Coordinates of all heavy atoms in Angstrom, one line a residue:
D15 N 97.1 92.6 102.1 CA 96.1 93.7 102.1 C 94.9 93.4 103.1 O 94.0 94.2 103.3 CB 95.6 94.2 100.8 CG 95.0 93.1 100.1 OD1 94.7 92.0 100.6 OD2 94.4 93.3 99.0
G16 N 95.0 92.3 103.7 CA 94.1 91.8 104.6 C 92.9 91.1 104.0 O 92.0 90.5 104.7
T17 N 92.9 90.8 102.7 CA 91.8 90.1 101.9 C 91.9 88.7 102.5 O 92.9 87.9 102.6 CB 92.1 90.1 100.5 OG1 92.1 91.4 100.0 CG2 91.1 89.2 99.8
V18 N 90.8 88.1 102.9 CA 90.6 86.7 103.5 C 90.4 85.9 102.3 O 89.2 86.0 101.6 CB 89.5 86.7 104.5 CG1 89.3 85.2 104.9 CG2 89.8 87.6 105.8
F19 N 91.2 85.0 101.9 CA 91.0 84.2 100.8 C 90.5 82.7 101.2 O 90.0 82.0 100.3 CB 92.2 84.0 99.9 CG 93.5 83.5 100.7 CD1 93.5 82.1 100.8 CD2 94.4 84.3 101.1 CE1 94.7 81.6 101.4 CE2 95.5 83.9 101.7 CZ 95.7 82.5 101.9
D20 N 90.7 82.4 102.5 CA 90.2 81.1 102.8 C 90.2 81.0 104.5 O 91.1 81.6 105.1 CB 91.0 80.0 102.4 CG 90.2 78.6 102.3 OD1 89.2 78.6 102.6 OD2 91.0 77.7 101.9
T21 N 89.1 80.5 105.0 CA 89.0 80.3 106.5 C 88.1 79.2 106.9 O 87.1 78.9 106.2 CB 88.6 81.7 107.1 OG1 88.7 81.4 108.5 CG2 87.2 82.0 106.7
T22 N 88.4 78.6 108.0 CA 87.5 77.6 108.5 C 86.8 78.2 109.9 O 85.9 77.5 110.5 CB 88.2 76.4 109.1 OG1 89.1 76.6 110.1 CG2 89.0 75.8 107.8
L23 N 87.2 79.5 110.3 CA 86.6 80.0 111.5 C 85.1 80.2 111.3 O 84.6 80.6 110.3 CB 87.2 81.4 111.6 CG 88.8 81.3 112.0 CD1 89.2 82.8 112.3 CD2 89.1 80.4 113.1
G24 N 84.3 79.8 112.3 CA 82.9 79.8 112.2 C 82.3 78.5 111.7 O 81.1 78.4 111.6
G25 N 83.3 77.7 111.4 CA 82.7 76.3 110.8 C 83.5 75.1 111.6 O 84.1 75.3 112.5
E26 N 83.5 74.0 110.9 CA 84.2 72.8 111.3 C 85.5 72.8 111.0 O 86.0 73.4 109.8 CB 83.5 71.6 110.9 CG 82.0 71.5 111.2 CD 81.9 71.2 112.7 OE1 82.8 70.5 113.4 OE2 81.0 71.8 113.4
P27 N 86.5 72.2 111.8 CA 87.8 72.2 111.4 C 88.0 71.1 110.2 O 87.0 70.4 110.0 CB 88.5 71.5 112.7 CG 87.4 70.9 113.4 CD 86.2 71.7 113.2
V28 N 89.3 71.2 109.6 CA 89.4 70.3 108.4 C 90.5 69.3 108.7 O 91.4 69.5 109.5 CB 89.6 71.0 107.1 CG1 88.4 71.9 106.8 CG2 90.8 72.0 107.3
T29 N 90.4 68.2 108.0 CA 91.5 67.1 108.0 C 92.0 66.9 106.7 O 91.3 66.8 105.8 CB 90.8 65.9 108.6 OG1 90.3 66.1 110.0 CG2 91.8 64.8 108.8
F30 N 93.3 66.9 106.6 CA 94.0 66.6 105.3 C 95.5 66.3 105.5 O 96.1 66.5 106.5 CB 94.0 67.7 104.5 CG 94.4 69.1 105.1 CD1 95.7 69.5 105.1 CD2 93.5 70.0 105.6 CE1 96.3 70.6 105.6 CE2 94.0 71.1 106.2 CZ 95.4 71.5 106.2
P31 N 96.1 65.6 104.5 CA 97.5 65.2 104.6 C 98.4 66.4 104.2 O 98.1 67.2 103.4 CB 97.6 64.2 103.5 CG 96.5 64.5 102.4 CD 95.4 65.1 103.3
L32 N 99.5 66.6 105.0 CA 100.5 67.7 104.7 C 101.2 67.5 103.5 O 101.7 68.6 102.9 CB 101.5 67.6 105.9 CG 101.0 68.1 107.2 CD1 102.1 68.2 108.2 CD2 100.4 69.6 107.1
N33 N 101.3 66.3 102.9 CA 101.9 66.2 101.6 C 101.0 66.8 100.4 O 101.5 66.7 99.2 CB 102.3 64.7 101.3 CG 101.1 63.7 101.2 OD1 100.0 64.2 101.2 ND2 101.4 62.6 101.2
G34 N 99.9 67.3 100.7 CA 99.1 67.9 99.6 C 99.0 69.4 99.6 O 98.2 69.9 98.8
V35 N 99.6 70.0 100.6 CA 99.6 71.5 100.6 C 100.9 72.1 100.1 O 101.9 71.5 99.7 CB 99.3 72.0 102.1 CG1 98.0 71.5 102.5 CG2 100.5 71.5 103.0
V36 N 100.8 73.5 99.9 CA 102.1 74.1 99.5 C 103.2 74.1 100.3 O 102.9 73.9 101.5 CB 101.6 75.6 99.1 CG1 100.7 75.8 98.0 CG2 101.2 76.4 100.5
P37 N 104.5 74.1 99.8 CA 105.6 73.8 100.7 C 105.6 74.8 102.0 O 105.9 74.2 103.1 CB 106.7 74.1 99.9 CG 106.2 73.8 98.4 CD 104.8 74.3 98.5
G38 N 105.3 76.0 101.9 CA 105.6 76.9 103.0 C 104.5 76.6 104.1 O 104.8 76.7 105.3
W39 N 103.3 76.2 103.8 CA 102.2 75.8 104.7 C 102.7 74.6 105.5 O 102.7 74.4 106.7 CB 101.0 75.6 104.1 CG 99.7 75.8 104.8 CD1 99.0 76.9 104.9 CD2 99.1 74.9 105.8 NE1 97.9 76.8 105.7 CE2 97.9 75.6 106.2 CE3 99.3 73.6 106.2 CZ2 97.2 74.9 107.2 CZ3 98.6 73.0 107.1 CH2 97.4 73.7 107.7
R40 N 103.2 73.5 104.8 CA 103.7 72.4 105.3 C 104.8 72.7 106.3 O 104.9 72.1 107.3 CB 104.1 71.3 104.3 CG 104.6 70.0 104.9 CD 104.7 69.0 103.7 NE 105.7 69.3 102.6 CZ 105.2 69.7 101.4 NH1 104.0 69.7 101.0 NH2 106.1 70.1 100.4
E41 N 105.8 73.4 105.8 CA 107.1 73.8 106.7 C 106.6 74.4 108.0 O 107.2 74.1 109.0 CB 108.0 74.6 105.8 CG 108.8 74.0 104.8 CD 109.7 74.9 104.2 OE1 110.2 75.7 104.9 OE2 109.9 74.9 102.9
G42 N 105.7 75.3 107.9 CA 105.3 76.0 109.1 C 104.4 75.1 110.1 O 104.9 75.0 111.3
V43 N 103.7 74.2 109.6 CA 103.0 73.3 110.5 C 104.0 72.2 111.2 O 103.8 71.8 112.2 CB 101.9 72.5 109.7 CG1 101.3 71.4 110.6 CG2 100.8 73.5 109.3
L44 N 104.9 71.9 110.3 CA 106.0 70.9 110.8 C 106.7 71.4 112.1 O 107.3 70.7 112.8 CB 106.9 70.5 109.7 CG 106.4 69.6 108.6 CD1 107.5 69.4 107.5 CD2 105.9 68.3 109.1
K45 N 106.8 72.6 112.2 CA 107.5 73.4 113.3 C 106.6 73.5 114.6 O 107.0 73.8 115.6 CB 108.0 74.6 113.0 CG 109.1 74.7 111.9 CD 110.3 74.1 112.5 CE 111.0 74.9 113.5 NZ 112.3 74.2 114.0
M46 N 105.3 73.3 114.4 CA 104.3 73.4 115.5 C 104.2 72.0 116.3 O 104.4 70.9 115.8 CB 102.9 73.8 114.8 CG 103.0 75.1 114.2 SD 101.4 75.5 113.5 CE 100.4 75.6 115.0
H47 N 103.6 72.2 117.5 CA 103.4 71.0 118.3 C 101.8 70.9 118.5 O 101.1 72.0 118.3 CB 104.0 71.3 119.7 CG 105.5 71.2 119.7 ND1 106.2 72.4 119.5 CD2 106.4 70.2 120.0 CE1 107.4 72.1 119.6 NE2 107.6 70.8 119.8
E48 N 101.3 69.8 118.6 CA 99.9 69.6 118.7 C 99.3 70.5 119.7 O 99.8 70.5 120.9 CB 99.7 68.0 119.0 CG 98.1 67.6 119.0 CD 97.9 66.2 119.0 OE1 98.2 65.7 120.3 OE2 97.6 65.5 118.1
G49 N 98.3 71.1 119.4 CA 97.6 72.0 120.4 C 97.9 73.5 120.3 O 97.3 74.3 120.8
E50 N 99.1 73.7 119.6 CA 99.4 75.1 119.4 C 98.7 75.9 118.4 O 98.1 75.4 117.4 CB 100.9 75.2 119.0 CG 101.9 74.8 120.1 CD 103.4 74.9 119.5 OE1 103.6 74.8 118.4 OE2 104.3 74.9 120.4
T51 N 98.8 77.3 118.5 CA 98.1 78.2 117.5 C 99.3 79.0 117.3 O 100.1 79.5 118.1 CB 97.1 79.0 118.2 OG1 95.9 78.1 118.6 CG2 96.5 80.0 117.3
A52 N 99.5 79.2 115.9 CA 100.6 80.0 115.5 C 100.2 80.9 114.1 O 99.3 80.6 113.4 CB 101.8 79.1 115.1
M53 N 101.0 81.9 114.0 CA 100.9 82.7 112.8 C 102.0 82.2 111.8 O 103.3 82.1 112.3 CB 101.0 84.2 112.9 CG 99.7 85.0 113.5 SD 98.5 84.8 112.5 CE 99.0 85.7 111.0
I54 N 101.7 82.0 110.6 CA 102.7 81.6 109.6 C 102.7 82.6 108.4 O 101.7 82.8 107.8 CB 102.5 80.1 109.2 CG1 102.7 79.3 110.4 CG2 103.4 79.7 108.0 CD1 102.2 77.8 110.1
G55 N 103.9 83.1 108.2 CA 104.2 83.9 106.9 C 104.9 83.2 105.9 O 105.9 82.6 106.2
I56 N 104.3 83.2 104.7 CA 104.8 82.4 103.6 C 105.2 83.2 102.4 O 104.3 83.9 101.8 CB 103.8 81.3 103.2 CG1 103.3 80.4 104.3 CG2 104.5 80.4 102.1 CD1 102.2 79.4 104.1
P57 N 106.5 83.3 102.0 CA 106.9 84.1 100.8 C 106.3 83.5 99.6 O 105.9 82.2 99.6 CB 108.3 83.9 100.7 CG 108.8 83.5 102.1 CD 107.5 82.7 102.7
P58 N 106.0 84.2 98.5 CA 105.3 83.7 97.3 C 106.0 82.5 96.7 O 105.4 81.5 96.1 CB 105.3 84.8 96.3 CG 106.3 85.8 96.9 CD 106.4 85.6 98.3

């Protein structure tokens, strides 16, 4: 519905290990290359 539940925009980027995030987020980032920007849609 467009509700923003979390964002780093307007602030500093964050650093964290991929093994600590939800599976869909990790899978999406694993398909990306360094420097890319992508939209990732994750089923519940």
